[in-house]
């Protein structure tokens, strides 16, 4: 199974919960606005990404099955 992972930058409030939950896949981009960034956008296994999506307070993390 391959999954596409996206972070909706318009929704993301830069709280850091995804990075705390799943530092393997998420990091905070420092700039004029703090936003979550994915280290990979396609993965074979979700691992902690599922938990990160669950803890996101604004549901900005989307997981889509590709096949
Ligand atoms: Fe953004 Fe959601 Fe991650 Fe918080 S948990 S930094 S709102 S994507």
């Amino acid at each position: 199974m391959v999954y596409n992972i996206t972070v909706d930058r318009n929704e993301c409030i830069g709280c850091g919960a995804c990075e705390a939950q799943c530092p393997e896949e998420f990091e905070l981009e420092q700039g004029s606005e703090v936003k979550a960034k994915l280290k990979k956008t396609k993965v074979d296994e979700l691992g902690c990404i599922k938990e990160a999506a669950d803890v996101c307070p604004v549901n900005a993390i989307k997981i889509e099955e590709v096949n």
Side-chain angles (χ1 to χ4, degrees), residues 2 4 9-10 13-14 16 20-23 28 31-32 34-37 39 41 51 53 56 59 61-64:
V2 178
N4 263 337
R9 291 179 60 87
N10 293 323
I13 56 171
Q21 192 72 35
C22 192
L28 288 184
S32 54
V34 179
K35 300 282 181 180
K37 193 173 114 183
K39 295 182 179 177
T41 54
E51 283 79 36
C56 177
N59 290 319
I61 301 167
K62 304 289 183 226
I63 299 169
E64 182 195 9

Side-chain angles (χ1 to χ4, degrees), residues 7 12-18 28 36 56-58 60-61:
V7 172
C12 176
I13 56 171
C15 70
C18 54
L28 288 184
C56 177
V58 294
I61 301 167

Side-chain angles (χ1 to χ4, degrees), residues 6-45:
T6 55
V7 172
D8 186 332
R9 291 179 60 87
N10 293 323
E11 294 292 331
C12 176
I13 56 171
C15 70
C18 54
E19 185 186 42
Q21 192 72 35
C22 192
E24 300 93 320
E25 305 292 346
F26 295 88
E27 61 190 349
L28 288 184
E29 195 177 82
Q30 304 295 334
S32 54
E33 283 188 302
V34 179
K35 300 282 181 180
K37 193 173 114 183
L38 287 157
K39 295 182 179 177
K40 296 189 291 279
T41 54
K42 268 194 170 53
V43 296
D44 296 331
E45 287 181 33

